[in-house]
Amino acid sequence: MIEQLSVRDYILFDSANINFKNGMSVITGETGAGKSLLIDAIGYLSGERLQGDVVRSGREKAVLSMVLSDPSKEVISLLEENGFEVDDEIIITRIITPNKKSRMQINLQPATNALVKKVTSMMIDVHSQMDTITLMNPEVQMGLLDQYAKTGTQKEKVEQAYKAYSSVSAELKKLQTETFSDEELDFITEQLNEITNMNIRDGELEELQEKIEDASGASKAREDFSSALYLIRKDNGISDQLYTAARTLKRSSRTEFGEKLSDLYYAIQDVSEEISDAQDSLAAMEEDLDAMQEREYQIKKLYRKYGGDYEGVMAAAEKLNEKVDRILHRQDLFDKLEKEKKESLKTYQKEAKILSKMRQDQFSSLKKRIEEHAHDLMLENCVFEINRKEKAPAKDGIDEIEFLVSMNPGQPLTPLRQSASGGELSRLMLALKVVFQADNGIGTLVFDEIDTGVSGKVALAMGSKMHTLAENYQVLCITHLASVAVWADEHYRVAKSANQQSTKTEVEVLDDETHFEELAIMSNGAASPSAIDSMKELAREVRVNG
């Protein structure tokens, strides 16, 4: 639920803090006072796009903040997956500058609009007159039906099956329209041979470059090895002198020293052989340098032509192989794709029929519940039906859905957009909202003047329905009707004041006395004693009968 809504330097508001409670809260005030600005603020804090300049004139920035409590496990998991720590509350903040740039925060950590939208969509539902228009869209109606029928898992199966079917269908269509000449086959084969004949290995270029680097330094290393061998092997050099010293000491009384020098002599002979072998290897490496550099050049040339790296070349070779195969074995491939298309269509039709049945199984229940709520809202003659037509395979199934309604006896069933007057449509939309809102995990419902076009007993019925909703949800309602506001558990009044320098709007929580005064003004234009008494009597009646 929304625990608190705060705005600072926001359009007409210097500062406002509203602490909401459970139950039904109504927000009232004169036209233009700024009631809907508060609902807009909730929208902006839900990631909606900014409309116009929302920073109060002369101020550096507007700061909007909303405290949400009792997040579901799904919301907590979503936030934790995105690196946010969550306790019992979620604080969403949006800071907006005059150039319409803004930044979002969740619990004082930077957040994206997309994440904020996802989080708030799982906790808050805002319904305005624009949403009433949106509900007339058959695609939106399909979404509501699927939500009601809990088809999520099956819809995913249908979407995957359609993806497989459409993919093989596209492949088959491509094959049917492809034409290749002998020249094209020769060109493709030449490209494939160019890659195949190079016979490159993964990592070969890197190995070559290391060897080239080593070979480039081989000349200097060979000189060093040659100098060392000369010092060891020259006449009267290191080797000869060690040999002579060893023989001399072996003739002395301390022959062990002679043995040690003898061992050292043979060790140096071994080392000199290793140096000689290494010198020969370096000589061979120098001879291979030209060949290695040429191989490096050819591999780089192939990479530039076919994808930039080893993986790109291999992918290009695979595609070229497929093209050759398509040309040489065209009929075999055609038969294979035809078979795959039939099999994938069969799988799709099976899953789509299951989805369709899940939807159709709910038609009767949905009709009954919507008509019951419509009748409660004094649409006694309302008849609701779901029109279904079968359509060509699509990712959302084979059903084309549209809600139909008749408001008067003898009137034919027609689509929502053609069937109802403004007041009737407001009531019907409320009935739909009550039904489709059930079990979707959202805790807060916001209604922005959905009672437009109604009055009297009809308005009382709408207020009663929203108050019933408030038994299970937090309900926030902007209204201009006393017959709706009389149902409020909490009443907030938005008032605008002006002087020669500025205009500002403030929000006041009404106590019982000011609540009835406001109702009297809304109903009769003035808070006369008789008007106040009339509102108190109305409140007693609705509490007893509602």
Side-chain angles (χ1 to χ4, degrees):
M1 63 173 281
I2 301 176
E3 291 275 357
Q4 185 184 77
L5 176 66
S6 301
V7 299
R8 188 173 77 243
D9 297 333
Y10 168 63
I11 309 180
L12 298 176
F13 292 89
D14 277 334
S15 178
N17 293 293
I18 309 173
N19 294 304
F20 291 112
K21 297 181 180 179
N22 269 321
M24 179 177 172
S25 297
V26 299
I27 302 172
T28 63
E30 293 182 1
T31 300
K35 303 184 295 298
S36 290
L37 295 180
L38 297 175
I39 305 304
D40 291 342
I42 293 173
Y44 296 147
L45 286 164
S46 299
E48 295 299 326
R49 186 176 180 181
L50 296 171
Q51 301 294 327
D53 189 1
V54 302
V55 181
R56 185 162 172 77
S57 178
R59 306 300 166 86
E60 293 183 357
K61 61 187 177 183
V63 180
L64 313 179
S65 180
M66 177 168 63
V67 179
L68 304 176
S69 63
D70 300 323
S72 65
K73 291 180 180 178
E74 291 76 13
V75 170
I76 292 173
S77 296
L78 174 62
L79 288 170
E80 288 178 345
E81 286 169 9
N82 285 273
F84 293 87
E85 294 184 5
V86 184
D87 293 320
D88 296 329
E89 291 184 339
I90 299 169
I91 303 172
I92 298 176
T93 307
R94 189 165 187 175
I95 301 167
I96 308 160
T97 56
N99 57 7
K100 291 176 69 174
K101 290 186 177 180
S102 69
R103 63 182 188 273
M104 300 288 293
Q105 295 177 342
I106 296 178
N107 292 349
L108 303 180
Q109 293 178 242
T112 64
N113 274 22
L115 178 61
V116 170
K117 272 188 177 182
K118 196 165 186 180
V119 169
T120 53
S121 70
M122 297 165 73
M123 300 184 72
I124 304 169
D125 181 84
V126 179
H127 187 88
S128 65
Q129 294 176 52
M130 183 57 67
D131 294 305
T132 297
I133 296 170
T134 302
L135 282 172
M136 297 180 184
N137 185 333
E139 290 183 9
V140 174
Q141 295 167 10
M142 174 73 86
L144 292 171
L145 174 60
D146 282 330
Q147 175 188 307
Y148 184 81
K150 295 180 172 59
T151 64
T153 301
Q154 188 59 32
K155 276 183 73 176
E156 289 178 7
K157 290 181 181 180
V158 169
E159 189 168 342
Q160 289 301 315
Y162 179 75
K163 187 176 180 181
Y165 169 69
S166 59
S167 175
V168 72
S169 297
E171 188 71 12
L172 182 60
K173 185 176 181 180
K174 181 180 177 183
L175 181 65
Q176 290 169 333
T177 57
E178 279 180 342
T179 56
F180 292 101
S181 65
D182 291 341
E183 289 79 9
E184 286 174 304
L185 176 59
D186 290 342
F187 178 68
I188 294 168
T189 304
E190 183 182 328
Q191 288 182 308
L192 183 59
N193 289 338
E194 182 182 10
I195 295 173
T196 305
N197 293 339
M198 278 292 292
N199 194 29
I200 57 175
R201 295 178 289 102
D202 190 11
E204 181 182 355
L205 179 61
E206 291 74 19
E207 290 175 15
L208 266 177
Q209 289 170 333
E210 287 180 12
K211 288 181 179 178
I212 289 169
E213 186 176 350
D214 291 341
S216 298
S219 178
K220 177 64 170 64
R222 280 214 310 139
E223 289 178 9
D224 293 339
F225 287 175
S226 181
S227 296
L229 285 174
Y230 173 74
L231 292 172
I232 294 170
R233 293 177 173 178
K234 72 178 181 175
D235 289 342
N236 202 30
I238 293 170
S239 179
D240 287 351
Q241 291 185 26
L242 269 175
Y243 180 77
T244 301
R247 288 189 63 186
T248 301
L249 288 172
K250 282 181 181 180
R251 294 196 298 266
S252 72
S253 59
R254 300 296 298 272
T255 59
E256 71 273 16
F257 292 133
E259 293 297 334
K260 288 181 179 179
L261 284 178
S262 182
D263 291 342
L264 187 56
Y265 167 79
Y266 287 113
I268 284 179
Q269 293 300 311
D270 290 342
V271 171
S272 68
E273 288 299 324
E274 291 175 10
I275 293 172
S276 181
D277 290 343
Q279 187 180 35
D280 292 342
S281 295
L282 288 174
M285 190 180 292
E286 282 186 276
E287 293 175 3
D288 292 342
L289 180 59
D290 288 343
M292 288 190 293
Q293 288 175 330
E294 176 62 22
R295 177 72 174 170
E296 178 193 30
Y297 170 76
Q298 293 298 336
I299 291 176
K300 285 183 175 179
K301 180 181 175 183
L302 202 68
Y303 281 6
R304 286 194 298 271
K305 191 172 180 180
Y306 296 109
D309 55 18
Y310 177 81
E311 289 75 15
V313 171
M314 292 301 101
E318 185 177 353
K319 287 182 180 179
L320 290 168
N321 257 319
E322 288 174 0
K323 285 184 178 180
V324 171
D325 192 58
R326 289 165 78 92
I327 297 169
L328 297 179
H329 305 96
R330 182 180 177 84
Q331 188 57 48
D332 291 342
L333 183 58
F334 184 84
D335 293 341
K336 175 176 173 286
L337 290 175
E338 280 281 14
K339 183 180 178 182
E340 288 180 3
K341 181 180 178 182
K342 288 178 182 177
E343 289 174 352
S344 62
L345 178 59
K346 185 177 179 181
T347 300
Y348 171 82
Q349 288 173 331
K350 175 187 171 185
E351 299 297 346
K353 285 177 181 177
I354 293 172
L355 175 60
S356 182
K357 185 176 186 303
M358 290 177 71
R359 289 166 172 164
Q360 292 180 66
D361 284 349
Q362 299 302 321
F363 284 7
S364 177
S365 165
L366 201 50
K367 169 183 169 64
K368 181 180 178 183
R369 292 188 62 190
I370 289 174
E371 287 180 354
E372 283 176 353
H373 288 293
H375 296 165
D376 291 344
L377 291 166
M378 303 185 74
L379 294 171
E380 297 89 349
N381 299 309
C382 175
V383 177
F384 177 85
E385 296 284 354
I386 299 176
N387 182 45
R388 175 196 174 271
K389 296 178 182 177
E390 188 159 324
K391 65 179 181 180
K395 69 177 182 179
D396 62 349
I398 55 175
D399 300 307
E400 190 174 282
I401 296 295
E402 185 160 25
F403 293 170
L404 305 180
V405 68
S406 169
M407 292 297 186
N408 300 296
Q411 178 185 351
L413 288 160
T414 54
L416 291 186
R417 61 183 178 274
Q418 302 172 12
S419 299
S421 65
E424 288 174 335
L425 194 56
S426 295
R427 284 176 279 167
L428 181 59
M429 291 304 110
L430 181 55
L432 292 171
K433 180 68 69 174
V434 173
V435 173
F436 288 119
Q437 199 61 48
D439 302 323
N440 69 353
I442 287 174
T444 299
L445 304 179
V446 182
F447 296 103
D448 184 6
E449 294 190 355
I450 68 160
D451 51 14
T452 300
V454 302
S455 60
K457 291 182 179 180
V458 172
L460 279 173
M462 292 187 74
S464 174
K465 188 60 66 177
M466 283 188 272
H467 194 260
T468 301
L469 270 176
E471 294 174 5
N472 299 303
Y473 305 93
Q474 180 192 41
V475 173
L476 309 182
C477 170
I478 287 185
T479 182
H480 60 280
L481 299 176
S483 303
V484 173
V486 72
W487 292 93
D489 297 310
E490 293 288 330
H491 191 163
Y492 304 85
R493 178 170 58 198
V494 178
K496 182 169 67 174
S497 60
N499 55 38
Q500 291 182 344
Q501 284 75 38
S502 66
T503 301
K504 70 175 182 177
T505 290
E506 296 177 319
V507 183
E508 177 187 5
V509 183
L510 303 185
D511 56 21
D512 281 350
E513 182 178 350
T514 50
H515 166 63
F516 288 113
E517 288 176 357
E518 177 72 2
L519 291 180
I521 293 170
M522 292 171 69
S523 176
N524 296 285
S528 64
S530 60
I532 292 172
D533 288 341
S534 176
M535 288 298 101
K536 288 180 178 179
E537 179 60 29
L538 178 61
R540 282 192 291 270
E541 288 178 8
V542 299
R543 295 300 176 178
V544 171
N545 301 322

